[in-house]
PDB file of all heavy atoms in Angstrom:
ATOM      1  N   TRP A   1       7.523 -39.541  15.236  1.00  0.00           N
ATOM      2  CA  TRP A   1       7.116 -40.126  16.483  1.00  0.00           C
ATOM      3  C   TRP A   1       6.417 -39.112  17.407  1.00  0.00           C
ATOM      4  O   TRP A   1       6.158 -39.403  18.552  1.00  0.00           O
ATOM      5  CB  TRP A   1       8.320 -40.785  17.282  1.00  0.00           C
ATOM      6  CG  TRP A   1       8.853 -41.964  16.503  1.00  0.00           C
ATOM      7  CD1 TRP A   1       9.813 -41.970  15.611  1.00  0.00           C
ATOM      8  CD2 TRP A   1       8.456 -43.341  16.700  1.00  0.00           C
ATOM      9  NE1 TRP A   1      10.093 -43.203  15.113  1.00  0.00           N
ATOM     10  CE2 TRP A   1       9.204 -44.089  15.807  1.00  0.00           C
ATOM     11  CE3 TRP A   1       7.532 -43.929  17.496  1.00  0.00           C
ATOM     12  CZ2 TRP A   1       9.080 -45.421  15.742  1.00  0.00           C
ATOM     13  CZ3 TRP A   1       7.419 -45.352  17.418  1.00  0.00           C
ATOM     14  CH2 TRP A   1       8.152 -46.058  16.491  1.00  0.00           C
ATOM     15  N   ALA A   2       6.197 -37.880  16.878  1.00  0.00           N
ATOM     16  CA  ALA A   2       5.650 -36.834  17.744  1.00  0.00           C
ATOM     17  C   ALA A   2       4.289 -37.315  18.367  1.00  0.00           C
ATOM     18  O   ALA A   2       3.472 -37.982  17.704  1.00  0.00           O
ATOM     19  CB  ALA A   2       5.368 -35.568  16.880  1.00  0.00           C
ATOM     20  N   GLY A   3       4.105 -36.932  19.569  1.00  0.00           N
ATOM     21  CA  GLY A   3       2.846 -37.213  20.305  1.00  0.00           C
ATOM     22  C   GLY A   3       2.866 -38.603  20.973  1.00  0.00           C
ATOM     23  O   GLY A   3       1.958 -38.937  21.728  1.00  0.00           O
ATOM     24  N   ARG A   4       3.941 -39.386  20.721  1.00  0.00           N
ATOM     25  CA  ARG A   4       4.025 -40.668  21.352  1.00  0.00           C
ATOM     26  C   ARG A   4       4.813 -40.478  22.645  1.00  0.00           C
ATOM     27  O   ARG A   4       5.654 -39.612  22.773  1.00  0.00           O
ATOM     28  CB  ARG A   4       4.630 -41.677  20.429  1.00  0.00           C
ATOM     29  CG  ARG A   4       3.959 -41.749  19.089  1.00  0.00           C
ATOM     30  CD  ARG A   4       4.504 -42.855  18.200  1.00  0.00           C
ATOM     31  NE  ARG A   4       3.919 -42.747  16.824  1.00  0.00           N
ATOM     32  CZ  ARG A   4       4.088 -43.686  15.922  1.00  0.00           C
ATOM     33  NH1 ARG A   4       4.783 -44.784  16.192  1.00  0.00           N
ATOM     34  NH2 ARG A   4       3.485 -43.539  14.775  1.00  0.00           N
ATOM     35  N   PRO A   5       4.622 -41.400  23.557  1.00  0.00           N
ATOM     36  CA  PRO A   5       5.294 -41.282  24.861  1.00  0.00           C
ATOM     37  C   PRO A   5       6.836 -41.229  24.731  1.00  0.00           C
ATOM     38  O   PRO A   5       7.436 -42.054  23.998  1.00  0.00           O
ATOM     39  CB  PRO A   5       4.844 -42.498  25.675  1.00  0.00           C
ATOM     40  CG  PRO A   5       3.532 -42.872  25.028  1.00  0.00           C
ATOM     41  CD  PRO A   5       3.680 -42.529  23.575  1.00  0.00           C
ATOM     42  N   ALA A   6       7.488 -40.292  25.380  1.00  0.00           N
ATOM     43  CA  ALA A   6       8.898 -40.230  25.418  1.00  0.00           C
ATOM     44  C   ALA A   6       9.592 -40.220  24.042  1.00  0.00           C
ATOM     45  O   ALA A   6      10.525 -40.904  23.799  1.00  0.00           O
ATOM     46  CB  ALA A   6       9.469 -41.322  26.271  1.00  0.00           C
ATOM     47  N   ALA A   7       8.941 -39.469  23.103  1.00  0.00           N
ATOM     48  CA  ALA A   7       9.427 -39.507  21.743  1.00  0.00           C
ATOM     49  C   ALA A   7      10.834 -38.771  21.759  1.00  0.00           C
ATOM     50  O   ALA A   7      10.865 -37.562  22.035  1.00  0.00           O
ATOM     51  CB  ALA A   7       8.471 -38.784  20.826  1.00  0.00           C
ATOM     52  N   PRO A   8      11.912 -39.416  21.334  1.00  0.00           N
ATOM     53  CA  PRO A   8      13.203 -38.757  21.308  1.00  0.00           C
ATOM     54  C   PRO A   8      13.329 -37.873  20.045  1.00  0.00           C
ATOM     55  O   PRO A   8      12.657 -38.129  19.054  1.00  0.00           O
ATOM     56  CB  PRO A   8      14.208 -39.892  21.205  1.00  0.00           C
ATOM     57  CG  PRO A   8      13.408 -40.987  20.520  1.00  0.00           C
ATOM     58  CD  PRO A   8      11.972 -40.843  20.990  1.00  0.00           C
ATOM     59  N   ARG A   9      14.143 -36.885  20.131  1.00  0.00           N
ATOM     60  CA  ARG A   9      14.476 -35.991  18.929  1.00  0.00           C
ATOM     61  C   ARG A   9      15.975 -36.133  18.595  1.00  0.00           C
ATOM     62  O   ARG A   9      16.758 -36.343  19.510  1.00  0.00           O
ATOM     63  CB  ARG A   9      14.072 -34.575  19.217  1.00  0.00           C
ATOM     64  CG  ARG A   9      12.590 -34.252  19.221  1.00  0.00           C
ATOM     65  CD  ARG A   9      12.293 -32.825  19.439  1.00  0.00           C
ATOM     66  NE  ARG A   9      12.867 -31.971  18.351  1.00  0.00           N
ATOM     67  CZ  ARG A   9      12.268 -31.785  17.121  1.00  0.00           C
ATOM     68  NH1 ARG A   9      11.110 -32.290  16.885  1.00  0.00           N
ATOM     69  NH2 ARG A   9      12.831 -30.964  16.293  1.00  0.00           N
ATOM     70  N   LEU A  10      16.197 -36.032  17.328  1.00  0.00           N
ATOM     71  CA  LEU A  10      17.551 -36.216  16.861  1.00  0.00           C
ATOM     72  C   LEU A  10      17.954 -34.861  16.146  1.00  0.00           C
ATOM     73  O   LEU A  10      17.199 -34.300  15.377  1.00  0.00           O
ATOM     74  CB  LEU A  10      17.584 -37.371  15.769  1.00  0.00           C
ATOM     75  CG  LEU A  10      18.960 -37.803  15.258  1.00  0.00           C
ATOM     76  CD1 LEU A  10      19.880 -38.303  16.435  1.00  0.00           C
ATOM     77  CD2 LEU A  10      18.778 -38.954  14.333  1.00  0.00           C
ATOM     78  N   HIS A  11      19.151 -34.402  16.477  1.00  0.00           N
ATOM     79  CA  HIS A  11      19.599 -33.113  15.971  1.00  0.00           C
ATOM     80  C   HIS A  11      20.944 -33.405  15.273  1.00  0.00           C
ATOM     81  O   HIS A  11      21.881 -33.994  15.928  1.00  0.00           O
ATOM     82  CB  HIS A  11      19.774 -32.062  17.031  1.00  0.00           C
ATOM     83  CG  HIS A  11      18.620 -31.926  17.901  1.00  0.00           C
ATOM     84  ND1 HIS A  11      17.652 -31.006  17.767  1.00  0.00           N
ATOM     85  CD2 HIS A  11      18.266 -32.644  19.058  1.00  0.00           C
ATOM     86  CE1 HIS A  11      16.703 -31.155  18.693  1.00  0.00           C
ATOM     87  NE2 HIS A  11      17.061 -32.146  19.502  1.00  0.00           N
ATOM     88  N   GLY A  12      21.182 -32.941  14.047  1.00  0.00           N
ATOM     89  CA  GLY A  12      22.429 -33.225  13.338  1.00  0.00           C
ATOM     90  C   GLY A  12      22.858 -31.980  12.636  1.00  0.00           C
ATOM     91  O   GLY A  12      22.163 -31.328  11.921  1.00  0.00           O
ATOM     92  N   SER A  13      24.175 -31.560  12.868  1.00  0.00           N
ATOM     93  CA  SER A  13      24.813 -30.490  12.117  1.00  0.00           C
ATOM     94  C   SER A  13      25.919 -31.066  11.282  1.00  0.00           C
ATOM     95  O   SER A  13      26.720 -31.889  11.795  1.00  0.00           O
ATOM     96  CB  SER A  13      25.335 -29.440  13.106  1.00  0.00           C
ATOM     97  OG  SER A  13      24.292 -28.818  13.757  1.00  0.00           O
ATOM     98  N   PHE A  14      25.990 -30.644   9.977  1.00  0.00           N
ATOM     99  CA  PHE A  14      26.971 -31.230   9.113  1.00  0.00           C
ATOM    100  C   PHE A  14      27.709 -30.122   8.305  1.00  0.00           C
ATOM    101  O   PHE A  14      27.199 -29.080   8.061  1.00  0.00           O
ATOM    102  CB  PHE A  14      26.229 -32.133   8.134  1.00  0.00           C
ATOM    103  CG  PHE A  14      25.518 -33.302   8.759  1.00  0.00           C
ATOM    104  CD1 PHE A  14      24.222 -33.180   9.140  1.00  0.00           C
ATOM    105  CD2 PHE A  14      26.115 -34.513   8.974  1.00  0.00           C
ATOM    106  CE1 PHE A  14      23.493 -34.154   9.767  1.00  0.00           C
ATOM    107  CE2 PHE A  14      25.492 -35.567   9.545  1.00  0.00           C
ATOM    108  CZ  PHE A  14      24.154 -35.396   9.985  1.00  0.00           C
ATOM    109  N   SER A  15      28.939 -30.485   7.939  1.00  0.00           N
ATOM    110  CA  SER A  15      29.755 -29.592   7.139  1.00  0.00           C
ATOM    111  C   SER A  15      30.344 -30.503   5.990  1.00  0.00           C
ATOM    112  O   SER A  15      31.158 -31.399   6.330  1.00  0.00           O
ATOM    113  CB  SER A  15      30.816 -28.887   7.888  1.00  0.00           C
ATOM    114  OG  SER A  15      31.703 -28.109   7.013  1.00  0.00           O
ATOM    115  N   LEU A  16      30.006 -30.261   4.757  1.00  0.00           N
ATOM    116  CA  LEU A  16      30.442 -31.049   3.647  1.00  0.00           C
ATOM    117  C   LEU A  16      31.521 -30.266   2.869  1.00  0.00           C
ATOM    118  O   LEU A  16      31.294 -29.247   2.272  1.00  0.00           O
ATOM    119  CB  LEU A  16      29.303 -31.451   2.749  1.00  0.00           C
ATOM    120  CG  LEU A  16      29.667 -32.168   1.398  1.00  0.00           C
ATOM    121  CD1 LEU A  16      30.254 -33.514   1.716  1.00  0.00           C
ATOM    122  CD2 LEU A  16      28.398 -32.278   0.553  1.00  0.00           C
ATOM    123  N   ASP A  17      32.768 -30.845   2.840  1.00  0.00           N
ATOM    124  CA  ASP A  17      33.849 -30.322   2.023  1.00  0.00           C
ATOM    125  C   ASP A  17      33.965 -31.152   0.780  1.00  0.00           C
ATOM    126  O   ASP A  17      34.475 -32.254   0.803  1.00  0.00           O
ATOM    127  CB  ASP A  17      35.126 -30.362   2.853  1.00  0.00           C
ATOM    128  CG  ASP A  17      36.261 -29.657   2.153  1.00  0.00           C
ATOM    129  OD1 ASP A  17      36.364 -29.753   0.944  1.00  0.00           O
ATOM    130  OD2 ASP A  17      37.079 -29.031   2.854  1.00  0.00           O
ATOM    131  N   LEU A  18      33.404 -30.649  -0.329  1.00  0.00           N
ATOM    132  CA  LEU A  18      33.366 -31.429  -1.549  1.00  0.00           C
ATOM    133  C   LEU A  18      34.756 -31.765  -2.095  1.00  0.00           C
ATOM    134  O   LEU A  18      34.988 -32.957  -2.369  1.00  0.00           O
ATOM    135  CB  LEU A  18      32.576 -30.659  -2.601  1.00  0.00           C
ATOM    136  CG  LEU A  18      31.073 -30.926  -2.748  1.00  0.00           C
ATOM    137  CD1 LEU A  18      30.445 -30.099  -3.858  1.00  0.00           C
ATOM    138  CD2 LEU A  18      30.802 -32.429  -2.979  1.00  0.00           C
ATOM    139  N   PRO A  19      35.711 -30.826  -2.183  1.00  0.00           N
ATOM    140  CA  PRO A  19      36.976 -31.195  -2.783  1.00  0.00           C
ATOM    141  C   PRO A  19      37.701 -32.295  -2.015  1.00  0.00           C
ATOM    142  O   PRO A  19      38.351 -33.159  -2.584  1.00  0.00           O
ATOM    143  CB  PRO A  19      37.784 -29.940  -2.757  1.00  0.00           C
ATOM    144  CG  PRO A  19      36.714 -28.845  -2.918  1.00  0.00           C
ATOM    145  CD  PRO A  19      35.571 -29.342  -2.123  1.00  0.00           C
ATOM    146  N   ARG A  20      37.589 -32.224  -0.683  1.00  0.00           N
ATOM    147  CA  ARG A  20      38.249 -33.253   0.141  1.00  0.00           C
ATOM    148  C   ARG A  20      37.370 -34.520   0.387  1.00  0.00           C
ATOM    149  O   ARG A  20      37.858 -35.463   0.855  1.00  0.00           O
ATOM    150  CB  ARG A  20      38.620 -32.653   1.505  1.00  0.00           C
ATOM    151  CG  ARG A  20      39.777 -31.666   1.371  1.00  0.00           C
ATOM    152  CD  ARG A  20      40.102 -31.063   2.687  1.00  0.00           C
ATOM    153  NE  ARG A  20      41.346 -30.215   2.610  1.00  0.00           N
ATOM    154  CZ  ARG A  20      41.366 -28.957   2.228  1.00  0.00           C
ATOM    155  NH1 ARG A  20      40.253 -28.366   1.836  1.00  0.00           N
ATOM    156  NH2 ARG A  20      42.517 -28.295   2.136  1.00  0.00           N
ATOM    157  N   GLY A  21      36.124 -34.402  -0.010  1.00  0.00           N
ATOM    158  CA  GLY A  21      35.202 -35.535   0.171  1.00  0.00           C
ATOM    159  C   GLY A  21      34.955 -35.916   1.598  1.00  0.00           C
ATOM    160  O   GLY A  21      34.839 -37.046   1.911  1.00  0.00           O
ATOM    161  N   THR A  22      34.948 -34.921   2.527  1.00  0.00           N
ATOM    162  CA  THR A  22      34.791 -35.153   3.956  1.00  0.00           C
ATOM    163  C   THR A  22      33.473 -34.578   4.441  1.00  0.00           C
ATOM    164  O   THR A  22      33.006 -33.559   3.970  1.00  0.00           O
ATOM    165  CB  THR A  22      35.923 -34.582   4.749  1.00  0.00           C
ATOM    166  OG1 THR A  22      36.048 -33.205   4.501  1.00  0.00           O
ATOM    167  CG2 THR A  22      37.260 -35.270   4.370  1.00  0.00           C
ATOM    168  N   LEU A  23      32.881 -35.319   5.391  1.00  0.00           N
ATOM    169  CA  LEU A  23      31.662 -34.838   6.037  1.00  0.00           C
ATOM    170  C   LEU A  23      31.867 -34.774   7.509  1.00  0.00           C
ATOM    171  O   LEU A  23      32.058 -35.755   8.230  1.00  0.00           O
ATOM    172  CB  LEU A  23      30.477 -35.817   5.731  1.00  0.00           C
ATOM    173  CG  LEU A  23      29.114 -35.481   6.294  1.00  0.00           C
ATOM    174  CD1 LEU A  23      28.600 -34.185   5.644  1.00  0.00           C
ATOM    175  CD2 LEU A  23      28.190 -36.631   6.159  1.00  0.00           C
ATOM    176  N   ARG A  24      31.901 -33.553   8.042  1.00  0.00           N
ATOM    177  CA  ARG A  24      32.011 -33.270   9.466  1.00  0.00           C
ATOM    178  C   ARG A  24      30.663 -33.328  10.122  1.00  0.00           C
ATOM    179  O   ARG A  24      29.698 -32.761   9.590  1.00  0.00           O
ATOM    180  CB  ARG A  24      32.651 -31.964   9.745  1.00  0.00           C
ATOM    181  CG  ARG A  24      32.704 -31.542  11.190  1.00  0.00           C
ATOM    182  CD  ARG A  24      33.853 -32.242  11.953  1.00  0.00           C
ATOM    183  NE  ARG A  24      33.882 -31.843  13.335  1.00  0.00           N
ATOM    184  CZ  ARG A  24      34.511 -32.444  14.289  1.00  0.00           C
ATOM    185  NH1 ARG A  24      35.177 -33.544  13.973  1.00  0.00           N
ATOM    186  NH2 ARG A  24      34.525 -32.030  15.524  1.00  0.00           N
TER     187      ARG A  24
END
């Protein structure tokens, strides 16, 4: 959506623990 009026940005940080199957 860059260049469009009031284009929002989304930021995500994740931590994946495979043995426990959890996503922080």
Side-chain angles (χ1 to χ4, degrees):
W1 292 90
R4 305 185 188 190
R9 286 183 61 84
L10 189 57
H11 312 265
S13 297
F14 300 88
S15 176
L16 174 63
D17 187 323
L18 269 179
R20 290 179 173 81
T22 57
L23 182 67
R24 174 75 181 165

